Amino acid sequence: MLAALLGLLILSACASQDGPAVREPDGAARLRVAAAAEASGQADIALSMYGVAAAAEPGRAEVQARFAGALARAGHLVQAEEVLNRALAHHPDDIGLLSQLGRLRVREGAAEPALDIFDRVLARAPRDVAALDGRGVALDLLGRHAEAQVSYRAGMAQAPANVAIANNLAMSLLLSGHAAEALLILEPLARRPGVPPRVATNLAIARAAAGDAAGGRALLAGQPTEADLDAIVGGLGGGPAAWPGQS
């Protein structure tokens, strides 16, 4: 039953042969195009652009980290690890590369190694929001929800508008039996323009877990089904569990 919740929680330039050559975009421009493509749901184009940028600047840690993150989001975990390992061989202490490796470990369900990596990042950059969020997810995977919530709150103190970390905090609270507190976060979060659909789904789960099953179902528009929602809430009632939140 909790597996259903995990699934819910847990994105060229060319030259004319006849006219003057068109200048290729530099690395920053490629990354901007890739990020815009990913934000608009064009994952294949984004991944291609990240790959072009990474091939053009193999020694630039930031570009390699962005490419590895895109590969991981697309499900290409082996390729993402290869990119990260190559880059880390030259930049072993780069925070961006280490954070992406930590996220990769989370995706693999390897919570202890992920926690070690995020702790390593935070030793160098205690206010790093991505690492604080990732550390929270790793702790939630280990069932250490109270510690996870401390990490999420530290991240929110640095980035109050960050939707992903607020959502992760809410779900951690929900999984540790604090549905009312989760609702206090999710209700205003779901009203923000442009938030991911999973926020509304998580709000529905929180409402149902807090005893408002009808209010939860009203938000779902059929996904998940009422039976799915009942199973998820029933699973939550069985005690706290780990979950791979998506940051």
Side-chain angles (χ1 to χ4, degrees):
M1 286 176 275
L2 284 171
L5 177 58
L6 304 187
L8 287 171
L9 301 171
I10 327 195
L11 342 222
S12 83
C14 61
S16 168
Q17 294 181 344
D18 300 321
V22 177
R23 182 180 178 273
E24 271 198 334
D26 59 18
R30 290 190 186 96
L31 293 179
R32 284 196 298 272
V33 171
E38 192 165 26
S40 65
Q42 301 178 76
D44 290 345
I45 293 174
L47 185 57
S48 176
M49 289 302 300
Y50 282 126
V52 170
E57 298 185 89
R60 188 176 166 198
E62 178 194 359
V63 176
Q64 301 306 311
R66 297 278 290 275
F67 181 37
L71 284 166
R73 288 189 293 276
H76 305 306
L77 303 187
V78 173
Q79 290 173 264
E81 180 146 8
E82 290 172 353
V83 170
L84 289 172
N85 286 339
R86 283 197 301 269
L88 283 165
H90 300 285
H91 307 280
D93 296 318
D94 184 82
I95 288 173
L97 292 170
L98 289 171
S99 289
Q100 286 294 349
L101 184 61
R103 292 189 190 99
L104 187 62
R105 292 290 175 263
V106 165
R107 288 177 182 273
E108 295 167 343
E112 288 283 6
L115 183 59
D116 289 344
I117 292 167
F118 289 123
D119 281 343
R120 181 177 167 189
V121 172
L122 290 167
R124 295 171 55 84
R127 298 182 179 182
D128 187 274
V129 174
L132 288 165
D133 186 31
R135 184 175 188 273
V137 174
L139 287 164
D140 267 329
L141 279 167
L142 293 168
R144 294 160 58 180
H145 302 301
E147 294 172 77
Q149 290 154 28
V150 171
S151 193
Y152 293 134
R153 291 186 193 280
M156 288 184 67
Q158 302 301 318
N162 188 299
V163 172
I165 197 167
N167 178 73
N168 287 350
L169 172 59
M171 298 313 292
S172 181
L173 288 164
L174 180 59
L175 286 166
S176 59
H178 301 290
E181 291 181 61
L183 281 172
L184 290 176
I185 297 170
L186 288 168
E187 292 279 6
L189 194 65
R191 291 194 292 270
R192 291 192 200 175
V195 296
R198 69 176 179 272
V199 174
T201 301
N202 293 341
L203 174 57
I205 295 167
R207 283 184 179 177
D212 182 12
R217 293 187 181 103
L219 290 170
L220 294 178
Q223 291 296 328
T225 65
E226 292 187 9
D228 291 334
L229 183 61
D230 290 342
I232 290 167
V233 174
L236 288 172
W243 62 282
Q246 188 64 32
S247 303

